[in-house]
Amino acid sequence: MAQDPLNDDGHVVAEEDTPEPAISVPDSGDTGEGGKLKMIVQLVKKCLGVKDIATMRLSLPASLLEPVPNLEYWHYLDRPDIFAAINDSEFPFERMLAAVRFAFTKDLKFVHGKVCKPYNSVLGEHFRAHWDVPPVAYSDDPSQPPIPLSHSTISAEAATLKSETASIRSGRSSKSTRSGFSAFSKGMKSTPTTSPPQSIEANVAAQMSNLSLGNDNNSERLRIIYVTEQVSHHPPVSAYYASCPKRHLEMFGIDQISAKVSGTTVKVSPGQHNQGIFVNLTGGPGEGERYHITHPVAFVNGVLRGSFYVTVSETTIITCTGGKPGTKFRAVIEYKEESWLGRAHFLVEGVIHTVHEGDTEHEEWTKVKHVPTNRVVAVFDGSWRGHIRWRRVGTGSYPDVRSTSSSPSPSHERLPVPEVPSHAASRVDVVHSDSDYSTLIDISALRVIPKEVRLLEKQLPHESRKLWENVTDNLLNKEYSEATKEKMAIEQRQRDEAAERKRKGVEFTPKYFEKDISAGYAELTEEGWKAVNEELTES
């Protein structure tokens, strides 16, 4: 029987404290596409039949890696402006719509960028960054989606015109940089530092020349900060925390994936400690609400061709709890199964339905077809890589017979819009009462917003970019053998440190997060709050 990786205190047992070397894939010496493909085939062979390759001690040649640390790669804030908009509306239904938009944009890198393998994180490695973005603007028509003013394919002239006619929300309290923290939070004073983007994102910036980079006349900027740390190496587990105090938002959770080779694809699903993303609204119109966003299952395809792309299956569930008493909302986002014949369609379909206080029956509704017709208040469908539309529905508007998962037509096609229940009403229903669909979000028009990170000379030895500096420099210079040597030195140093802890009988203790992850997230330590406040106060 497998050992439970959580001890009695609810934190991860340090299974990484074993000094055995990792299984390695030999470097072919050929840095071309043919050489990389040979190494990928060898890697697939080693992974066949392995229950969870994410827990393997696997060391890859540096030539197969992208020059980016794992902790920097995963952060769910590819569109921090969409995240910051969750708490903009005074209507609970519209806040749920905003949470759905965030769920579709959190991993935008997989829509517009290539799938890559970042560096494996080492125990105690940490990363921190921030974004300063203009808040989204809103059209006079409340049925229309928010207007992004940064990193959008909307032309600069169109963005300026829209922002001049839009109502830009900036009325959230910002009397202090800590106004958005809840009782979960503590404050620490710190020294500001500067934070220009560095070479890792140079390729991102190069793609931005034809994009709208924001409205310079809009003086308001929202700062969103992010702090994460690797709290276990085997199994690989990291904890993270993000905050936007001006909008009274904080996000936290545990990152861990489980991966398995299945045929010619790699199936990636949440690990046992990964319970999803938690978003707290600590003030403003949604004060007290918590949004719990679960992760779907992803597949990395094209492995044997060396041409990777991602498809998604199963569901994402967004549940709102807390806040003011009354009816809550819950969203079910269902990703359609892709046929193994023909090209992928990336189809998605979903509903927003009511949840009555005290009920638990909705916990069994994990697909669109499970939701009773009299509880549905809105439907949406489209492509999670492109345009997603939505509209209001209600009692009697859902058919009993649903479409098959392979059909490009959603099950709620051409349905009438009845009266919306009063408890689910919002300003949308006052202005927009016909049966037309509106745009929920257009993913194809959005691009990843680059983060800002402190200069290398100001970073600590175990901070991601500092830790992997020599590997990154060699990869960027295409010195692959040197990059592999530097990478192996880091891995050996980690094994030596683990062996020394084991010899002394000392257990590893994270610096920025508490050990207990049983709730699906970890509380910040005093050092963690210090890092948060340093990011908030950087000039």
Side-chain angles (χ1 to χ4, degrees):
M1 185 173 179
Q3 180 182 359
D4 187 349
L6 284 180
N7 68 10
D8 294 336
D9 297 325
H11 68 270
V12 179
V13 174
E15 296 179 37
E16 72 287 340
D17 283 349
T18 51
E20 291 83 2
I23 300 170
S24 63
V25 176
D27 195 329
S28 67
D30 182 358
T31 59
E33 292 303 316
K36 288 184 179 181
L37 185 57
K38 289 179 182 178
M39 287 187 284
I40 290 171
V41 171
Q42 290 185 44
L43 174 61
V44 171
K45 288 181 179 179
K46 288 180 179 289
C47 295
L48 287 174
V50 177
K51 186 176 181 180
D52 185 2
I53 62 177
T55 62
M56 289 178 65
R57 303 181 199 280
L58 190 65
S59 179
L60 299 180
S63 57
L64 287 181
L65 304 176
E66 287 295 315
V68 57
N70 183 64
L71 293 183
E72 177 173 354
Y73 188 68
W74 294 101
H75 53 66
Y76 309 116
L77 288 169
D78 286 344
R79 291 300 305 199
D81 53 344
I82 303 298
F83 165 71
I86 292 176
N87 199 21
D88 278 358
S89 177
E90 62 181 299
F91 297 101
F93 173 76
E94 292 182 10
R95 292 197 293 274
M96 177 55 77
L97 276 182
V100 172
R101 291 189 185 100
F102 165 66
F104 282 123
T105 62
K106 64 183 177 63
D107 293 312
L108 194 63
K109 62 174 72 69
F110 297 124
V111 175
H112 297 302
K114 66 177 181 178
V115 180
C116 72
K117 177 65 178 75
Y119 311 139
N120 286 335
S121 304
V122 304
L123 191 63
E125 179 183 342
H126 47 92
F127 176 76
R128 45 196 263 204
H130 70 266
W131 295 258
D132 289 315
V133 296
V136 298
Y138 294 87
S139 166
D140 290 335
D141 180 355
S143 68
Q144 296 304 307
I147 304 165
L149 299 181
S150 175
H151 293 77
S152 164
T153 53
I154 300 173
S155 67
E157 293 82 6
T160 301
L161 178 63
K162 284 191 174 185
S163 64
E164 286 174 351
T165 60
S167 170
I168 300 176
R169 301 225 176 131
S170 58
R172 305 293 170 250
S173 173
S174 58
K175 293 181 180 179
S176 75
T177 57
R178 295 187 60 247
S179 61
F181 290 146
S182 66
F184 180 82
S185 311
K186 291 187 267 182
M188 295 287 294
K189 292 184 179 180
S190 61
T191 304
T193 56
T194 57
S195 175
Q198 297 184 8
S199 59
I200 287 177
E201 285 169 342
N203 60 333
V204 177
Q207 301 172 21
M208 297 300 156
S209 58
N210 65 332
L211 306 183
S212 166
L213 299 183
N215 178 7
D216 292 336
N217 294 325
N218 173 27
S219 60
E220 185 185 14
R221 289 292 187 273
L222 302 177
R223 173 157 294 193
I224 296 93
I225 64 93
Y226 181 76
V227 176
T228 183
E229 180 180 14
Q230 190 79 1
V231 297
S232 170
H233 181 64
H234 192 76
V237 177
S238 61
Y240 61 88
Y241 174 86
S243 175
C244 178
K246 279 191 176 181
R247 289 297 188 262
H248 307 281
L249 280 167
E250 57 184 11
M251 176 181 77
F252 39 88
I254 295 297
D255 257 343
Q256 181 201 8
I257 63 170
S258 175
K260 181 178 182 180
V261 174
S262 177
T264 60
T265 65
V266 178
K267 180 181 179 181
V268 182
S269 54
Q272 69 177 105
H273 305 302
N274 187 341
Q275 298 181 30
I277 301 171
F278 298 87
V279 178
N280 277 358
L281 277 53
T282 60
E287 183 174 6
E289 290 179 350
R290 169 175 287 188
Y291 291 82
H292 178 213
I293 305 171
T294 65
H295 295 294
V297 172
F299 292 86
V300 179
N301 304 271
V303 173
L304 296 183
R305 296 193 306 270
S307 178
F308 307 125
Y309 67 94
V310 173
T311 57
V312 183
S313 70
E314 299 190 14
T315 56
T316 287
I317 308 293
I318 306 177
T319 307
C320 178
T321 57
K324 297 177 182 177
T327 301
K328 304 296 179 188
F329 294 98
R330 182 175 180 264
V332 179
I333 303 174
E334 185 174 340
Y335 296 88
K336 296 302 185 179
E337 293 287 346
E338 300 285 356
S339 171
W340 63 276
L341 291 174
R343 65 182 182 87
H345 293 285
F346 311 107
L347 298 179
V348 69
E349 180 179 11
V351 299
I352 297 176
H353 68 84
T354 55
V355 173
H356 301 316
E357 202 165 10
D359 283 355
T360 58
E361 58 179 339
H362 61 272
E363 295 174 1
E364 303 297 322
W365 305 341
T366 57
K367 291 185 177 294
V368 168
K369 65 182 180 181
H370 296 162
V371 183
T373 57
N374 63 346
R375 301 289 285 274
V376 177
V377 295
V379 296
F380 52 89
D381 64 76
S383 167
W384 59 266
R385 294 173 63 95
H387 183 266
I388 301 172
R389 62 179 188 169
W390 78 282
R391 71 168 180 172
R392 279 293 206 168
V393 298
T395 304
S397 68
Y398 238 67
D400 293 328
V401 181
R402 321 201 82 80
S403 62
T404 63
S405 61
S406 61
S407 171
S409 299
S411 55
H412 48 263
E413 186 75 34
R414 296 180 298 277
L415 297 177
V417 178
E419 289 293 323
V420 177
S422 59
H423 59 257
S426 77
R427 64 181 185 141
V428 174
D429 307 300
V430 177
V431 180
H432 190 72
S433 59
D434 57 56
S435 60
D436 291 339
Y437 280 92
S438 297
T439 296
L440 177 67
I441 194 165
D442 186 359
I443 301 296
S444 64
L446 302 177
R447 294 296 182 270
V448 174
I449 298 180
K451 63 185 75 65
E452 295 191 29
V453 183
R454 291 169 19 259
L455 294 171
L456 282 171
E457 54 264 31
K458 296 184 178 180
Q459 294 185 23
L460 299 173
H462 269 69
E463 206 157 342
S464 290
R465 288 192 179 180
K466 187 70 173 178
L467 177 69
W468 296 97
E469 179 183 6
N470 291 339
V471 179
T472 299
D473 287 345
N474 281 298
L475 282 180
L476 293 176
N477 292 327
K478 297 186 178 181
E479 298 286 347
Y480 297 116
S481 61
E482 289 301 314
T484 299
K485 289 178 183 178
E486 294 287 352
K487 174 178 171 292
M488 292 175 65
I490 293 173
E491 293 169 345
Q492 184 58 48
R493 185 162 62 247
Q494 178 175 237
R495 287 192 290 270
D496 293 343
E497 291 173 354
E500 182 66 14
R501 284 194 301 272
K502 188 173 184 179
R503 186 183 68 81
K504 293 181 177 180
V506 177
E507 183 179 334
F508 170 78
T509 301
K511 180 177 181 180
Y512 296 112
F513 292 88
E514 300 289 352
K515 296 179 181 179
D516 186 3
I517 64 170
S518 59
Y521 57 87
E523 302 266 357
L524 285 164
T525 63
E526 185 174 306
E527 284 296 315
W529 285 117
K530 181 179 178 182
V532 165
N533 279 274
E534 285 176 354
E535 284 299 313
L536 286 173
T537 56
E538 274 189 11
S539 59

